[in-house]
Amino acid sequence: MQFKLSKLHMALTSSAIILAGCSEPQNRWSQSEPDGDIRRVVVAGGPTLGYSARSGVSILEIDGLPFKDLNRNGELDTYEDWRLDATTRATSLAAALSKEEIAGLMLYSRHQAIPAPEQGYFAATYNGKPFSESGAAADALSDQQLEFITQSNVRHVLLTSVQSPRVAANWNNNLQQLAEGIGFGIPANNSSDPRHGARKDAEYNAGSGGTISQWPEQLGLSATFEPSITQQFGEIAAQEYRALGITTALSPQIDLATEPRWSRFYGTFGGHPQLATDMAQAYIDGFQTSEGSDEIDGGWGWRSVNTMVKHWPGGGTGEAGRDAHFAFGKFGVYSGNAFETHLKPFVEGAFNLKGKTKMASAVMPYYTISYDQDTAYGENVGNGFSKYIINDLLREQVGYDGVVCTDWLITGDEGASPGDFAGKSWGVEKLSIAERHFKVLEAGLDQFGGNNDMQPVLAAFQMLKDKYGADAARARIERSTVRLLKNIFRVGLFENPYLDADTTEQTVGQPDFMKAGYDAQLKSLVMIKNADQTLPLAKDKKVVYVPKNSFPETTNFFGFQDPPQQKYLIDRKLLAKDFEVSESPAEADFALVFVKSPVSSGYSKQDRAEGGNGYLPISLQHEDYVAEHGRKNSIAAGDPVVDPEITNRSYQGKTGQSNSRLDLPMLKELRATMGDKPIILVVSVTNPMVFADVEPLVDSIIIEFGVQVSAIADMITGREEPSGLLPMQMPLDMKTVELQLEDVPMDMQPYVDSQGNSYDFAFGLNWAGVIRDKRTERYTK
């Protein structure tokens, strides 16, 4: 469909568009004052069109309405007509794109910080120099960004840190101006991993804003047991994302966290199927739904942010808790035959929304090999390579027709050791990089995460053509293209991808948003012990002692060694509003102890070098743990390239040491010093934890999932009453952790404390005692 434009000429003045040979627009649209190179056309009852004077794009007037001539051909093409639905526009544009342009759409950039760091995985340059030496502005495009936009046609960009909201807005405009001037003028669809976590060093002030509103982690949202709070988060976060130029959220992570040792447990909604389902539904409805004048069509619009739910069909079943970012954790196992249980948050939550958008717009499979679950082809390959997991199960059985994007770097080569952070081509390690891309396309996916290079995608297109013929190959890649383009059309980016930096600053972190996040933090706090009504603190308890924490040498997430250190986990000055901070426990009225829940790595390069298989137990307790009850023979094993001789990943009899093990002697010494004076333990929880070692040493225990220190002070002083509930079980001991089944929810024996309370799912205390309300009635084991 095309509308021929005859005798239409456009000229720009400083404040208006002049259309030669046409009548006045009769007040149906008007031109706003220019913002630098950016022009905006406001349509009465329609969209605002934004474009750059530098991109070569002009405005066509058809039937008295303005349209952007994105491909600069003087005609109104179907994809440029904002009156049409997203599917029609996407289908028309997909048919017109070259294979190179389609390959670019299928790429998803590696992580981009604004400005770019000068060292590490995500380093970049400006005019060949590090940022600090380049003289470039913070919102300038890096050399690498210029290259992947112009040479590889990348239009999906993953953002990490930004210097400020204003810098983010200006960088977005620079990026969009570049993209708009190329080919069909396809705008960039910028995305983000979760970025709303609470900062411990930030003091809450109800009258001030911030760089972005601060909320508890996903697990903390679950601890509220109120999906309405999660939906409110989505609605607010979406406004802040859009103000930053972000139109896709690489979230939520809705894997059922049934394996307590998994390092990504904290980023989930927990392991309770119904709670996780309800939270997923609320989160996505909040992010994706536009209403009223913000709606374009079908619930999508100017406030909408696409969500990419993670990780189909669930990544929370790694054997013995090991994570699939590494070869040592590539296998997800189903010893309890509960594979279908893990589909519930997707099928009944993410794909069954209450809002008009109906389902999450995108899905990311996890790295794991869902071991022995492929009943059609018998393959044990990573989920992103599995035709059964994606085409047969997700596409055909579930009926999902949105974008499916691989997790990052699955087509890359693995490292020299199972403990290296590198490519994650699990199950297809011996294929070439191009063959891996081909296998991803055959499996039914649309996009390659963390890949800025189109060449292996083009090679995969040729393999499709060779195997299935030119027409079938073209039809296959156009199906993916339509899905990808729909997500850009539906949020209005083709009409206006540009931001006003002043509006961005007024929107992001505005006081109302900050307060909503802070209120959610308060509601996420869980009190699980309060012996002798220690809390709220008596008014004469004014002097507090906060001990310093010691950490041994540890292995961080990326496999690097962090040196031993001593540090405070909070800024003690944040307590000065309520307490006098003492350097001596003997002079204090009470102690406030901050610790992290125990975690450890499940693999040791040193053990492997010394002749072992490299595998260690992951400990959730403070004391050293000897794995007497670990499996004698692992369920899955094998690495055909790096470690082919390891056929058993058992760690039975080996010792695991947690990164928090030095907190235990500190607590014992503090208990002896404090005598009968109260000790309040605040645990920053990322995983279920064995409390048997530490619970008897303290008087009160507060569980937090990412909150500001102000929220903790508000609770212990009694200004706020605790209302959160445990979104997981706290195990009796490591034996029950070893004997639970990785895929089965809530199958651990919980710890019972000295007060007789069981640290089970949905347990929590308020000032009156154990909480029992509508939430605990709805969400039961």
Side-chain angles (χ1 to χ4, degrees):
M1 182 188 302
Q2 291 185 331
F3 298 90
K4 184 68 177 177
L5 182 66
S6 60
K7 297 183 180 180
L8 188 58
H9 165 77
M10 187 196 79
L12 291 175
T13 68
S14 61
S15 61
I17 292 180
I18 300 173
L19 296 173
C22 290
S23 61
E24 293 296 319
Q26 301 178 341
N27 297 322
R28 296 182 70 181
W29 56 274
S30 61
Q31 171 85 1
S32 299
E33 287 292 327
D35 178 10
D37 290 320
I38 298 170
R39 307 288 190 265
R40 294 182 177 88
V41 174
V42 180
V43 183
T48 293
L49 308 181
Y51 65 101
S52 169
R54 286 193 289 148
S55 69
V57 167
S58 61
I59 294 295
L60 310 176
E61 185 182 7
I62 305 295
D63 299 331
L65 294 172
F67 301 88
K68 292 167 66 175
D69 186 12
L70 284 165
N71 61 1
R72 300 164 297 281
N73 68 350
E75 301 175 355
L76 180 61
D77 297 279
T78 298
Y79 85 98
E80 297 167 335
D81 189 345
W82 48 260
R83 297 169 297 183
L84 302 176
D85 65 89
T87 300
T88 299
R89 298 175 72 186
T91 301
S92 175
L93 180 54
L97 295 178
S98 68
K99 64 179 186 296
E100 289 80 11
E101 288 164 322
I102 290 176
L105 274 176
M106 287 184 169
L107 301 177
Y108 221 124
S109 84
R110 301 191 72 175
H111 299 68
Q112 305 295 312
I114 313 301
E118 300 181 3
Q119 296 179 339
Y121 285 115
F122 313 127
T125 57
Y126 298 80
N127 294 317
K129 298 179 180 179
F131 175 73
S132 62
E133 301 174 12
S134 67
D139 56 26
L141 301 180
S142 71
D143 298 335
Q144 290 71 23
Q145 291 160 3
L146 290 169
E147 189 281 330
F148 67 62
I149 292 292
T150 60
Q151 301 302 311
S152 288
N153 298 318
V154 170
R155 292 298 181 272
H156 293 81
V157 182
L158 174 55
L159 296 183
T160 55
S161 61
V162 294
Q163 188 179 89
S164 70
R166 179 170 288 273
V167 166
N170 291 332
W171 177 87
N172 169 80
N173 291 351
N174 290 334
L175 181 73
Q176 299 293 4
Q177 287 185 58
L178 178 64
E180 187 176 75
I182 300 171
F184 290 86
I186 299 172
N189 181 0
N190 300 326
S191 65
S192 175
D193 283 310
R195 60 192 312 116
H196 280 82
R199 289 173 37 230
K200 285 287 188 292
D201 60 347
E203 183 174 9
Y204 176 66
N205 182 337
S208 67
T211 54
I212 200 163
S213 60
Q214 299 180 40
W215 298 72
E217 298 289 347
Q218 266 193 219
L219 198 56
L221 291 173
S222 262
T224 70
F225 276 60
E226 295 184 31
S228 60
I229 292 176
T230 299
Q231 181 155 346
Q232 181 191 35
F233 163 70
E235 292 166 353
I236 289 173
Q239 293 178 64
E240 294 183 308
Y241 273 28
R242 290 303 300 259
L244 293 168
I246 296 168
T247 45
T248 292
L250 299 188
S251 58
Q253 186 184 338
I254 63 175
D255 314 76
L256 270 188
T258 52
E259 168 47 60
R261 294 163 288 190
W262 187 31
S263 63
R264 302 195 69 181
F265 194 108
Y266 74 96
T268 73
F269 288 124
H272 188 279
Q274 190 60 55
L275 179 61
T277 297
D278 291 350
M279 289 290 179
Q281 189 180 62
Y283 187 112
I284 299 164
D285 271 331
F287 263 96
Q288 292 191 170
T289 304
S290 290
E291 297 177 330
S293 61
D294 291 314
E295 184 178 358
I296 297 173
D297 184 47
W300 292 99
W302 303 105
R303 282 200 178 186
S304 298
V305 171
N306 294 289
T307 59
M308 184 180 290
V309 295
K310 305 185 292 191
H311 302 89
W312 175 265
T317 66
E319 186 170 14
R322 292 183 288 264
D323 180 67
H325 275 82
F326 301 89
F328 64 70
K330 67 173 68 174
F331 296 102
V333 297
Y334 296 86
S335 50
N337 296 315
F339 177 82
E340 291 190 3
T341 302
H342 288 256
L343 306 185
K344 182 180 175 73
F346 296 92
V347 176
E348 298 181 23
F351 306 154
N352 184 36
L353 303 179
K354 294 179 180 178
K356 292 167 67 175
T357 65
K358 298 181 181 179
M359 62 175 58
S361 64
V363 175
M364 179 188 295
Y366 204 39
Y367 299 117
T368 44
I369 296 170
S370 295
Y371 192 68
D372 281 353
Q373 298 306 302
D374 180 349
T375 59
Y377 313 104
E379 285 192 310
N380 276 314
V381 295
N383 291 319
F385 298 105
S386 173
K387 185 176 181 181
Y388 172 75
I389 292 294
I390 305 302
N391 183 73
D392 296 21
L393 184 58
L394 179 61
R395 295 289 193 203
E396 294 182 0
Q397 293 186 37
V398 174
Y400 182 76
D401 193 38
V403 168
V404 182
C405 177
T406 76
D407 212 330
W408 261 233
L409 301 178
I410 77 164
T411 55
D413 292 329
E414 64 180 310
S417 160
D420 288 347
F421 188 88
K424 307 159 205 319
S425 51
W426 313 146
V428 296
E429 296 91 344
K430 291 187 176 182
L431 296 182
S432 70
I433 290 177
E435 288 169 338
R436 293 170 195 159
H437 282 76
F438 175 61
K439 190 165 182 63
V440 166
L441 292 177
E442 280 205 305
L445 288 85
D446 307 296
Q447 201 165 27
F448 302 93
N451 180 10
N452 299 350
D453 181 8
M454 73 159 67
Q455 295 308 314
V457 183
L458 293 174
F461 288 175
Q462 185 61 47
M463 293 177 192
L464 282 173
K465 184 177 179 181
D466 292 343
K467 184 172 181 178
Y468 298 103
D471 291 344
R474 179 70 195 192
R476 166 65 188 88
I477 65 176
E478 282 192 27
R479 284 198 299 274
S480 287
T481 308
V482 170
R483 294 174 186 135
L484 292 163
L485 289 171
K486 281 170 63 176
N487 288 353
I488 305 177
F489 279 113
R490 291 191 297 199
V491 297
L493 285 175
F494 275 87
E495 278 56 72
N496 184 20
Y498 296 103
L499 303 173
D500 175 78
D502 291 337
T503 301
T504 291
E505 286 194 324
Q506 294 164 12
T507 301
V508 179
Q510 65 175 262
D512 287 349
F513 294 173
M514 300 297 286
K515 184 179 187 306
Y518 188 74
D519 289 346
Q521 292 179 43
L522 291 169
K523 291 181 179 180
S524 73
L525 289 169
V526 184
M527 184 170 69
I528 60 173
K529 183 178 182 181
N530 196 26
D532 300 322
Q533 284 71 54
T534 298
L535 297 178
L537 285 167
K539 295 189 180 299
D540 61 349
K541 298 289 192 293
K542 286 294 184 182
V543 183
V544 61
Y545 173 71
V546 179
K548 185 179 287 187
N549 300 81
S550 298
F551 296 92
E553 182 180 52
T554 57
T555 302
N556 65 25
F557 181 80
F558 292 102
F560 298 122
Q561 295 301 114
D562 290 331
Q565 56 182 319
Q566 286 190 323
K567 63 180 180 179
Y568 293 104
L569 293 183
I570 65 158
D571 181 354
R572 296 180 298 164
K573 293 178 183 177
L574 298 175
L575 298 171
K577 182 178 70 174
D578 296 294
F579 308 107
E580 175 188 340
V581 179
S582 173
E583 298 295 331
S584 169
E587 297 174 357
D589 297 321
F590 71 100
L592 188 59
V593 183
F594 294 86
V595 301
K596 296 181 178 181
S597 59
V599 295
S600 60
S601 175
Y603 187 83
S604 167
K605 293 182 182 180
Q606 180 179 348
D607 178 83
R608 185 70 185 97
E610 293 174 352
N613 64 3
Y615 293 89
L616 299 178
I618 297 174
S619 176
L620 301 180
Q621 68 182 28
H622 282 83
E623 287 189 327
D624 290 356
Y625 163 61
V626 179
E628 297 176 1
H629 302 282
R631 288 192 181 104
K632 184 176 180 180
N633 294 289
S634 64
I635 294 175
D639 190 312
V641 177
V642 173
D643 232 351
E645 69 271 25
I646 299 302
T647 58
N648 184 6
R649 301 189 303 163
S650 173
Y651 50 78
Q652 189 180 65
K654 291 185 179 180
T655 299
Q657 293 184 311
S658 85
N659 296 349
S660 301
R661 61 184 181 273
L662 299 183
D663 286 334
L664 184 58
M666 177 267 287
L667 280 169
K668 289 180 178 178
E669 181 180 352
L670 183 63
R671 180 78 278 172
T673 303
M674 294 293 291
D676 292 335
K677 290 187 289 187
I679 298 176
I680 303 166
L681 181 67
V682 180
V683 187
S684 180
V685 165
T686 58
N687 292 78
M689 160 180 172
V690 175
F691 274 91
D693 299 336
V694 300
E695 179 270 323
L697 300 172
V698 301
D699 300 281
S700 294
I701 302 175
I702 297 169
I703 303 296
E704 63 99 356
F705 304 97
V707 302
Q708 294 167 262
V709 174
S710 305
I712 294 166
D714 280 346
M715 174 185 285
I716 66 177
T717 57
R719 288 192 292 269
E720 299 289 342
E721 184 170 13
S723 63
L725 303 169
L726 285 178
M728 77 271 259
Q729 296 177 304
M730 297 299 184
L732 171 64
D733 51 27
M734 283 303 298
K735 178 181 179 180
T736 194
V737 171
E738 292 285 8
L739 296 182
Q740 58 85 38
L741 303 175
E742 286 93 339
D743 58 325
V744 176
M746 311 293 172
D747 63 339
M748 293 191 294
Q749 182 179 354
Y751 176 74
V752 177
D753 71 9
S754 57
Q755 309 298 299
N757 289 318
S758 176
Y759 293 177
D760 207 347
F761 172 80
F763 169 71
L765 300 170
N766 57 21
W767 303 143
V770 177
I771 298 172
R772 294 184 176 88
D773 57 21
K774 292 181 179 179
R775 298 173 300 161
T776 58
E777 291 175 4
R778 171 167 173 73
Y779 299 108
T780 63
K781 287 201 301 180

